[in-house]
Amino acid sequence: MRSVHRATVLFWLVAVAAFVFLIWNSWQTWLANGEPAIVTGYTLAGLMVFLFIFNWRKKLSMVPLGRSAYWTMAHAVFGTLTIAVFFVHTGSFWPNGVYEQVLAVFFYLASLSGILGYWMQRVIPRRLTENGLEVIWERIPYEVAEIRNRAEAIVVESAEKTASDTLPRFYAETLSWYFRRPRYLVSHFFGFQSGRAFIRRETAAISRYLDETERGYLGELEELAHIKNRLDFAWAVNGAAKIWLLFHVPMAAGVLVLMVWHIILVHVYLL
Amino acid sequence: MTEAVVDELMTFPIFRDIDEDRFPGNTPLRGILLNDTRVTTYQPGEIVVREGDYGNSAFLILDGHLRVVLNPNLPQNMLGRLSVKKKGFFEALGQLWTNNWRPEVRDPERYQNTQAASSSGAMAGVYLQDIPAILDEHQTAQLGPEMIFGELAALGRVPRTASIFAETEARVLEIRWQGLRELRRFDTTWKEKIDLAYRRNALHNALKEAPMFRHLTGEQLKAVEDATLFETHGAFDWHTSYKRMLAQGREMEHGTPIAREGDYPDGILMVRAGFARVSARIGNGERTLTYLGAGDVYGLEELYRAWKDKDDSIVLETSLTALGYLDILRIPRQVLEEFVFKEMEPPQTKLRHLAGNEISADALKEWAVGRRFINGTRAMLIDLNRCTRCDDCVRACAATHGGNPRFIRHGATFDHWMVANACMHCADPVCMIGCPTGAIHRSISDGSVVVNDDTCIGCGTCAASCPYDNIRLVQVANQRGEPLVDGEHKPIMKATKCDFCSSNPGGPACQRACPHDALRRVDFRGPDPFRGGYQ
Ligand code: SF4
Ligand code: SF4
């Protein structure tokens, strides 16, 4: 068993034990006519701060603060615990009070984006590997530009060699749109094959108007289009893995800020 | 080298007495001197070789005197090396605000003494200051005309064991390993000289350290030593053909054959330096069963069985080929039967049994051997089925190296594995051969291969030699981002690469930073790098 898996089992045991203890403690407080929401509220606040620290840990990679892989698993396990504690604390899916409802919206968005992120991190690596084209995400626009240049060179050469304008016209009307920038991003993200279908459909449409030599050039263009299709896939899928954080982190930060104000209000007006 | 200098060399007894007729027509003695040697004049105090350097040449003193430093060795800073000091927690944390957002910023003060690399890549010499003090504090010995040194490092691909500097002005003939090998092959005097030096300096220790000879008395060990032959196989500069093959989109061929399956075993082969591939025939090809590195032994099982069962028909069950450069000891059957087998437990490993594994199970191993990743002791292996391509590893690397990442998360891939372009801290670090200032060296604290930024002259020898493209030459700038230039107004370049975070607490930041447990630094010589645990 990998050491990270062992650590995850341990985190789950701690999380379950902490949850059971929290329920028991709240029950006892309630029996003693106390206010269990204080305990659950502060537990929730502590958990949220812990979850948010993960973001700082990433920025402090120069110092030994434990392997990030452990932090990720702890983040996932205690994130789940946080959702459970949130329900215990609020006692419902939808709290009363406008301020609390805004807080709940941020909390739900942070939680849902967290779950989505976790799922994407499990699925995306394998999908990218199976794409069979390893490319650094930031370099994809350059790679696309390079492919476009090569494609245009092929078209120019075909025009010079064959003295026919069919292929250049096809390029100008159809392919130049495709080669200009990454296309079919949503389709790629959801695993559909719109890009491939486009290439197949359009090349079949033009092929009947070409002679043997021109078909050779079309074959080269088709090959480049398929490489571009794989680059588009990497752009969409890898990009999604990068941008979900841009949603998750601000939502989590929002929860944190609203939570602090919530605690202040509770202390001023209710206690 | 010119014909006139060759004429002059031919007047020295060490060359004059050679029987030129023993050299084949395509490798004449004069041709070797012309192509594989050069004469250099060293000034007093100038360093000729540094302890710990990897070199591909031996030296013959023509006139003048040199001094070899025996004990203690010269301090690392005198040799232009880094003495790596680990940062404390807060010092490491301080990088958070000291890192510059501009790339490759350096303090210009550090480069006051930087010497420009000449167009040939050679440079003005590196000198020791205060020679009388060195002579006082260190035990040294004088080397005079006609003495040869450096032949073991050149032929055995091992680090130089001592530093040598010029005591007086001295003219020294540098002989490249190719020339040295030919001289040894075709002239008995050179062969005897080199073999004698080898026996005196290296063989005894190599045998004494091998577990199977530990029980031998001094006399018995001497008998084994006398009977042992040493051989070198494959090309010293295998990295050049390796790079050529990669550029052509091919994989490296599986090296120079040394022993063939079905041959009669006349002794065991013990690897002293380099790598060898053990293979067995399968269909019309050869299947890699395992690879051997320094200290590993080949042919022992068969020989032991032949002795135990008194069966002379037993033959080798596997083949052995040199992967790149290989330095081996051949220990004959007779001495093993006389001194070793009687006291020995039967050997455990049955290499041939590895051939029973599923064929596809070996694909990764074949890839690692073909791409020569087996050279890596701390290669960066990424499991692409876990890697989300988030680049936290790259950012962590940058955060620990002044804001500049020292690797590229890109590299050769096979199935769902990637060996990224990060220095692998090789067992055979070819990048270290020929560095004119010794700036690239093996750190004595943890064995990683590091570059001393202060003494690197940016000549690019290391980057051109690294077979894996893991060294980058960068142009350095001052705090304002203006390029730094040397006295001749040429931009100052520096070689940069992964230093395994040797000065940072907590080990390599890349591995620690990966949130998905996808990146590991692995020793390819370990049991199964694709499965193994963390270092
Ligand atoms: S720079 Fe290249 S040759 Fe040198 S140790 Fe690193 S990977 Fe090996
Ligand atoms: S940190 Fe891990 S997951 Fe992220 S790019 Fe590096 S190896 Fe891949």
Side-chain angles (χ1 to χ4, degrees):
Chain A
M1 201 190 217
R2 290 170 88 107
S3 55
V4 174
H5 292 168
R6 270 199 304 270
T8 310
V9 172
L10 188 74
F11 293 148
W12 272 119
L13 290 176
V14 172
V16 170
F19 187 67
V20 170
F21 176 77
L22 187 73
I23 299 287
W24 176 81
N25 188 281
S26 302
W27 178 245
Q28 295 296 319
T29 315
W30 186 77
L31 286 181
N33 285 331
E35 185 50 80
I38 295 289
V39 179
T40 54
Y42 273 108
T43 308
L44 193 55
L47 281 168
M48 284 179 188
V49 170
F50 171 75
L51 295 180
F52 201 75
I53 284 177
F54 181 41
N55 195 36
W56 297 341
R57 187 257 167 255
K58 286 192 177 195
K59 298 198 170 36
L60 300 179
S61 47
M62 68 290 282
V63 281
L65 292 173
R67 278 175 41 208
S68 194
Y70 293 139
W71 279 82
T72 310
M73 291 323 295
H75 190 79
V77 171
F78 292 107
T80 313
L81 176 66
T82 307
I83 297 174
V85 175
F86 178 83
F87 290 132
V88 173
H89 178 68
T90 57
S92 73
F93 276 96
W94 195 239
N96 299 322
V98 176
Y99 186 83
E100 281 67 29
Q101 284 171 356
V102 173
L103 179 50
V105 167
F106 271 84
F107 181 80
Y108 285 138
L109 288 176
S111 306
L112 285 175
S113 59
I115 293 166
L116 176 74
Y118 185 81
W119 172 79
M120 287 203 303
Q121 286 172 352
R122 301 276 120 179
V123 175
I124 280 177
R126 202 172 280 266
R127 290 183 70 198
L128 286 171
T129 307
E130 284 166 7
N131 186 35
L133 189 81
E134 273 310 317
V135 55
I136 294 171
W137 189 75
E138 287 77 6
R139 277 204 55 81
I140 290 178
Y142 301 99
E143 303 278 342
V144 169
E146 178 140 355
I147 287 186
R148 187 170 55 239
N149 291 342
R150 275 159 62 194
E152 285 168 2
I154 291 171
V155 173
V156 170
E157 191 186 315
S158 102
E160 283 169 5
K161 290 264 163 67
T162 62
S164 152
D165 75 344
T166 323
L167 211 50
R169 191 175 151 194
F170 168 66
Y171 185 84
E173 287 173 359
T174 313
L175 282 190
S176 73
W177 169 84
Y178 183 68
F179 280 119
R180 203 169 310 138
R181 58 185 176 82
R183 300 285 180 194
Y184 298 113
L185 300 185
V186 177
S187 155
H188 280 305
F189 179 76
F190 287 105
F192 299 121
Q193 300 288 353
S194 306
R196 229 194 275 173
F198 167 84
I199 299 167
R200 206 174 31 237
R201 185 177 65 236
E202 299 300 336
T203 51
I206 188 72
S207 180
R208 64 176 69 97
Y209 308 120
L210 305 176
D211 68 12
E212 259 328 289
T213 323
E214 287 173 298
R215 261 193 222 118
Y217 287 113
L218 179 68
E220 288 178 37
L221 285 175
E222 195 176 344
E223 215 171 282
L224 286 180
H226 280 294
I227 299 177
K228 156 83 171 31
N229 189 47
R230 285 154 79 195
L231 284 173
D232 291 354
F233 176 88
W235 181 254
V237 174
N238 199 356
K242 285 183 188 287
I243 54 176
W244 79 269
L245 261 184
L246 299 182
F247 185 76
H248 181 65
V249 175
M251 286 303 118
V255 173
L256 222 56
V257 173
L258 292 169
M259 179 194 82
V260 171
W261 189 240
H262 170 78
I263 293 173
I264 294 171
L265 289 182
V266 167
H267 275 271
V268 172
Y269 293 108
L270 296 182
L271 295 181
Chain B
M1 184 65 99
T2 62
E3 289 285 353
V5 182
V6 174
D7 288 341
E8 190 210 333
L9 287 177
M10 291 302 287
T11 64
F12 284 81
I14 198 160
F15 294 117
R16 193 182 57 215
D17 298 344
I18 291 178
D19 178 2
E20 286 189 60
D21 294 340
R22 299 184 73 107
F23 285 74
N26 56 359
T27 326
L29 174 61
R30 290 183 66 91
I32 294 174
L33 294 178
L34 201 61
N35 299 319
D36 290 327
T37 68
R38 70 170 173 197
V39 177
T40 312
T41 304
Y42 291 92
Q43 300 304 320
E46 194 171 350
I47 294 181
V48 182
V49 296
R50 272 167 296 257
E51 174 246 330
D53 269 7
Y54 280 68
N56 57 359
S57 46
F59 300 84
L60 167 74
I61 305 175
L62 299 176
D63 47 53
H65 286 95
L66 307 181
R67 279 259 158 201
V68 51
V69 182
L70 300 173
N71 196 17
N73 287 325
L74 291 176
Q76 293 292 303
N77 59 353
M78 246 186 220
L79 300 175
R81 305 260 161 75
L82 279 177
S83 46
V84 181
K85 189 181 135 286
K86 277 244 184 271
K87 294 190 183 95
F89 185 91
F90 290 105
E91 210 182 334
L93 189 65
Q95 294 170 106
L96 206 52
W97 44 91
T98 54
N99 282 347
N100 202 303
W101 58 270
R102 292 192 177 94
E104 307 297 351
V105 166
R106 306 285 197 282
D107 178 4
E109 290 290 307
R110 283 169 53 183
Y111 300 143
Q112 291 302 327
N113 299 322
T114 293
Q115 300 163 59
S118 75
S119 51
S120 66
M123 61 161 293
V126 176
Y127 290 85
L128 293 177
Q129 312 296 331
D130 200 2
I131 300 203
I134 291 171
L135 295 181
D136 265 0
E137 288 161 19
H138 300 262
Q139 193 192 336
T140 62
Q142 196 181 52
L143 304 177
E146 307 238 341
M147 287 182 90
I148 299 173
F149 61 90
E151 69 284 356
L152 294 184
L155 286 178
R157 190 61 153 258
V158 286
R160 305 233 187 247
T161 49
S163 302
I164 297 176
F165 62 92
E167 189 177 15
T168 62
E169 185 178 291
R171 274 203 323 147
V172 177
L173 180 74
E174 187 176 347
I175 311 166
R176 290 201 301 156
W177 73 274
Q178 292 95 330
L180 195 65
R181 188 150 85 171
E182 303 308 335
L183 286 170
R184 179 175 176 265
R185 186 183 297 169
F186 300 118
D187 180 66
T188 39
T189 321
W190 276 83
K191 180 169 171 26
E192 276 163 18
K193 257 184 199 297
I194 294 170
D195 288 10
L196 189 73
Y198 191 85
R199 280 176 202 289
R200 208 176 37 224
N201 299 329
L203 187 60
H204 180 75
N205 283 347
L207 293 181
K208 213 171 69 184
E209 279 161 19
M212 80 169 93
F213 299 121
R214 282 219 183 110
H215 66 277
L216 297 189
T217 63
E219 235 168 70
Q220 289 170 329
L221 194 65
K222 175 84 180 53
V224 177
E225 266 171 55
D226 290 343
T228 299
L229 305 169
F230 81 92
E231 299 170 11
T232 56
H233 296 270
F236 195 93
D237 49 2
W238 61 269
H239 51 287
T240 4
S241 44
Y242 173 85
K243 284 187 147 184
R244 203 170 37 240
M245 287 199 184
L246 281 194
Q248 292 164 354
R250 288 189 289 146
E251 260 189 15
M252 190 79 172
E253 276 135 27
H254 282 316
T256 323
I258 300 169
R260 284 204 175 80
E261 187 177 337
D263 281 359
Y264 170 75
D266 59 355
I268 58 166
L269 302 178
M270 186 186 276
V271 178
R272 230 178 74 74
F275 293 100
R277 169 198 185 221
V278 180
S279 60
R281 237 172 269 138
I282 173 166
N284 292 319
E286 285 283 322
R287 175 179 185 181
T288 302
L289 300 181
T290 187
Y291 36 87
L292 307 181
D296 290 335
V297 170
Y298 169 83
L300 185 62
E301 295 157 31
E302 292 91 335
L303 267 189
Y304 185 86
R305 226 165 350 110
W307 170 78
K308 189 94 189 149
D309 304 348
K310 304 208 171 10
D311 179 357
D312 274 342
S313 64
I314 289 178
V315 292
L316 289 171
E317 294 181 340
T318 55
S319 299
L320 190 74
T321 39
L323 295 171
Y325 188 80
L326 186 69
D327 179 15
I328 50 171
L329 302 176
R330 190 180 286 271
I331 305 164
R333 179 177 187 154
Q334 292 75 7
V335 284
L336 293 169
E337 292 186 346
E338 197 177 337
F339 302 116
V340 181
F341 286 163
K342 284 180 220 151
E343 306 289 331
M344 208 175 100
E345 292 288 311
Q348 290 303 314
T349 48
K350 280 242 170 267
L351 289 177
R352 181 75 214 190
H353 284 183
L354 296 170
N357 294 346
E358 259 177 56
I359 294 178
S360 62
D362 284 346
L364 274 172
K365 197 190 298 159
E366 294 282 11
W367 176 66
V369 171
R371 296 297 296 256
R372 298 293 186 268
F373 293 138
I374 48 165
N375 200 356
T377 64
R378 296 158 195 191
M380 184 185 284
L381 185 67
I382 300 182
D383 182 346
L384 296 172
N385 275 353
R386 290 173 163 271
C387 171
T388 58
R389 284 75 164 171
C390 65
D391 282 330
D392 277 1
C393 47
V394 183
R395 276 188 288 276
C397 182
T400 33
H401 295 90
N404 307 291
R406 294 298 179 226
F407 77 97
I408 304 177
R409 190 187 50 75
H410 199 262
T413 55
F414 184 84
D415 189 20
H416 61 98
W417 299 102
M418 172 191 279
V419 176
N421 279 124
C423 173
M424 309 197 298
H425 303 276
C426 296
D428 180 15
V430 271
C431 55
M432 281 169 57
I433 299 170
C435 172
T437 62
I440 185 161
H441 62 279
R442 220 185 251 296
S443 136
I444 34 172
S445 50
D446 68 351
S448 47
V449 177
V450 292
V451 180
N452 183 349
D453 196 73
D454 293 347
T455 53
C456 169
I457 54 163
C459 66
T461 309
C462 55
S465 299
C466 170
Y468 312 100
D469 273 339
N470 289 342
I471 300 185
R472 309 238 109 55
L473 279 180
V474 299
Q475 194 177 321
V476 290
N478 64 17
Q479 300 283 345
R480 292 187 301 278
E482 298 153 354
L484 292 177
V485 291
D486 63 18
E488 293 166 24
H489 296 286
K490 285 199 218 132
I492 297 181
M493 306 294 287
K494 296 284 167 184
T496 64
K497 63 184 254 321
C498 157
D499 61 356
F500 209 63
C501 293
S502 44
S503 61
N504 252 65
C510 51
Q511 177 171 289
R512 228 178 32 231
C514 177
H516 308 293
D517 199 19
L519 184 157
R520 285 184 293 139
R521 303 301 295 249
V522 299
D523 185 348
F524 266 98
R525 299 157 314 152
D528 185 354
F530 297 97
R531 239 177 245 153
Y534 282 89
Q535 278 194 346

